[in-house]
Amino acid sequence: MLASLAELWFDRARTHPDDPAVDDGRGWLTWAELLPRARAVGAALAEAGVGPGDVVVLQARNTVEWVLVAAGVHLLGATLAPLGAEEPVASRQEYAARVGARVVVAEVPVAGELDLGLACPPHPVPTGREIDLESADPRGVRSPGPAVVLATSGTAGHRSTVPMDHDVLVRLYGDVAVMLDVGRGDRLLGVVPLAHSFGFNGLLVLALLTGASLRLVPERDPRALPGLVRESGATIVAGPPALLHDLAGAVLGGDGLGPQVRLFMTGATEVRPDALLPLADRAGIPRVSSGYGLTQTCGTVAICPDIGRLADAGHAPMTVVPGVEVVVVDALGSPVPPGARGRVLTRGYQVAVPTDADGWLVTGDEGHLHPDGTLCITGRVDDQLVVSGFNVDPVRVEQALARSPYVAQVAVVGVPDPRRGHRLVAVAVPAEGVDADGRNDAAVLAQARAVLAGYEVPDTVVWMDALPHTTTGKLSRATVRRMLAEHLGDHDQED
């Protein structure tokens, strides 16, 4: 049993040397071609001071170079700490300090960082035959730390970092591959960012484990996606429900995906088969799978391999992966009977950041268990929002908006959106002396955009005279949502 991702990079070059491994629109690298390129990247990182156990921050779009840096880091026995390409420089620097990065590799570097192009210099690609794969021993690669550290908003309400060990990822996504029937002949379309748990684990690690090939998409253009699906020969398209909306819309406009796509693989807080299955049918995709997990659980807790065949009462019943436990509890923490809704708790080898000493992770998700042990997720019980598959911490967004001189107080809430899950609305109280003419929505959002990722920036600012608070002085988000609904309702009537 292979125990590390470093071993997997070697093993794929040995077992599937001539199979396509990864492509970003500029041509394929086979598994045998990828390995020497990754070793060259590892040498460049070592020259920059990276050794076993060190952390390397990587910020770039989904490209072949991204994968080469990831492989180079693993071959050194170091830890990868990727960050979404949309994050501003200030966030990258703060994140690098938090994880204790030895080196930062960036597509657009600043002083003191390593340029992605220099880490992956263009040169003739070796055939792979020059490397003696039989004598090379990947077990000699020491990996004293985790394979990857991923950033997450987290159910605790603040951005945190989650370390994921090599053996955990190998075991977990080996089981996921079996449950979803992913194999060597599959082509995975990588639209979701590799810096996200869905992208790193559900695409890159899955490809490494199975030998499936990966077609990366550096720039997401909904109009171009159907053509990419057809031309890449993708058999599996992975992404949030918003991606299926985009594909179905494009197909409705006359742009087909081709006959080869057999699976749309998705995951979100709440997957509604009654909403997704008509979209899949319109797009010509015969099967939709749903996964449930958090970054704190290395991305996966349970899987429903076919929501069309197994969906019940409007939700997808998911099978908990082997070695993992799930309970549903009431507000006092007591287990509820099958069918009753409550807060979801999970425990297992893949829980990287447990909440208590017994290893349980208290999630912010609401759900229920069927008598057969399958799990349905029905929504959120905390304030965290999900936008296009990304967790958004409203407190973090509020802190960014509150820096504006126009804003005295602000609350961020989510309005249901059929494509993205939620769209963000900032409900703001103007600063003293700012009249109606001086409430500069564009300036408020521009200032927030400088410190937030794109998906964290609200679509709209709604100005109100005051925000509601509880008797203990805490912001009442439930009341804010009701006020916003009334405001939007009145606005719609006026229109």
Side-chain angles (χ1 to χ4, degrees):
M1 177 74 177
L2 298 174
S4 76
L5 300 190
E7 292 176 76
L8 282 174
W9 292 110
F10 274 92
D11 199 59
R12 283 301 142 256
R14 286 174 174 151
T15 59
H16 307 158
D18 299 320
D19 284 7
V22 63
D23 173 34
D24 60 10
R26 298 174 293 171
W28 286 103
L29 284 181
T30 67
W31 290 107
E33 292 168 342
L34 190 151
L35 184 61
R37 291 284 301 273
R39 287 162 67 99
V41 172
L45 293 173
E47 183 69 21
V50 178
D54 286 333
V55 177
V56 176
V57 166
L58 169 62
Q59 186 181 37
R61 297 168 300 155
N62 280 14
T63 60
V64 167
E65 287 78 12
W66 200 107
V67 175
L68 290 173
V69 171
V73 168
H74 293 146
L75 294 176
L76 285 176
T79 297
L80 183 71
L83 198 61
E86 289 189 335
E87 296 276 0
V89 172
S91 291
R92 183 168 78 220
Q93 294 173 328
E94 184 275 332
Y95 185 61
R98 179 182 300 188
V99 299
R102 173 73 68 178
V103 168
V104 175
V105 181
E107 201 166 10
V108 184
V110 297
E113 299 178 340
L114 185 59
D115 190 300
L116 180 69
L118 296 179
C120 306
H123 56 74
V125 179
T127 64
R129 308 306 183 191
E130 293 83 353
I131 296 177
D132 186 353
L133 294 174
E134 294 304 322
S135 63
D137 185 5
R139 291 172 298 180
V141 176
R142 294 185 296 113
S143 301
V148 66
V149 174
L150 296 182
T152 177
S153 295
T155 55
H158 60 275
R159 174 167 289 193
S160 58
T161 55
V162 179
M164 302 182 186
D165 292 336
H166 289 264
D167 57 344
V168 169
L169 295 180
V170 171
R171 175 182 174 183
L172 180 59
Y173 287 91
D175 285 335
V176 170
V178 172
M179 296 172 79
L180 292 179
D181 188 30
V182 179
R184 177 179 176 181
D186 279 311
R187 301 278 192 270
L188 307 176
L189 189 72
V191 178
V192 290
L194 293 174
H196 187 263
S197 180
F198 194 174
F200 187 85
N201 297 325
L203 291 174
L204 183 57
V205 174
L206 206 59
L208 269 172
L209 282 163
T210 62
S213 56
L214 187 57
R215 171 55 162 98
L216 299 174
V217 181
E219 303 287 351
R220 179 175 167 178
D221 179 355
R223 296 168 299 179
L225 281 174
L228 279 176
V229 173
R230 286 194 311 273
E231 294 160 14
S232 67
T235 60
I236 298 175
V237 178
L243 179 61
L244 189 54
H245 277 268
D246 292 343
L247 290 172
V251 170
L252 189 64
D255 203 355
L257 304 182
Q260 77 281 350
V261 180
R262 66 180 186 86
L263 172 65
F264 183 79
M265 186 167 62
T266 193
T269 300
E270 182 182 8
V271 172
R272 299 287 306 192
D274 55 353
L276 293 186
L277 292 175
L279 297 173
D281 184 63
R282 191 180 306 155
I285 301 176
R287 181 161 69 101
V288 178
S289 71
S290 173
Y292 167 65
L294 306 90
T295 305
Q296 295 93 329
T297 64
C298 296
T300 300
V301 170
I303 296 284
C304 180
D306 187 345
I307 67 173
R309 184 170 61 87
L310 298 173
D312 174 46
H315 294 94
M318 293 175 284
T319 300
V320 178
V321 296
V324 174
E325 299 175 74
V326 169
V327 296
V328 177
V329 301
D330 60 20
L332 298 178
S334 300
V336 299
R341 293 189 181 187
R343 184 184 289 265
V344 176
L345 278 64
T346 184
R347 179 171 67 179
Y349 71 93
Q350 90 312 4
V351 175
V353 187
T355 305
D356 64 28
D358 293 325
W360 288 102
L361 173 68
V362 180
T363 78
D365 298 312
E366 178 193 71
H368 65 268
L369 287 167
H370 288 280
D372 64 0
T374 54
L375 171 69
C376 287
I377 299 297
T378 55
R380 299 286 293 182
V381 294
D382 65 5
D383 292 322
Q384 197 172 91
L385 303 168
V386 178
V387 177
S388 296
F390 293 95
N391 286 347
V392 174
D393 174 17
V395 174
R396 169 177 157 84
V397 180
E398 288 160 1
Q399 289 172 342
L401 293 168
R403 298 179 183 182
S404 170
Y406 300 103
V407 174
Q409 299 178 57
V410 63
V412 171
V413 296
V415 175
D417 183 278
R419 194 180 75 84
R420 292 181 289 171
H422 290 100
R423 64 182 177 89
L424 301 182
V425 176
V427 180
V429 176
E432 186 175 354
V434 175
D435 59 19
D437 293 333
R439 298 172 185 179
N440 193 327
D441 297 17
V444 171
L445 296 177
Q447 188 165 346
R449 198 171 286 114
V451 295
L452 297 173
Y455 59 85
E456 294 177 300
V457 179
D459 292 83
T460 308
V461 179
V462 173
W463 297 93
M464 293 188 178
D465 294 332
L467 294 180
H469 291 78
T470 66
T471 55
T472 60
K474 293 182 179 180
L475 176 69
S476 174
R477 294 187 188 278
T479 305
V480 172
R481 284 190 285 269
R482 286 195 297 270
M483 292 170 59
L484 180 62
E486 293 171 1
H487 173 87
L488 295 177
D490 293 342
H491 181 72
D492 289 342
Q493 289 177 8
E494 289 172 4
D495 290 344

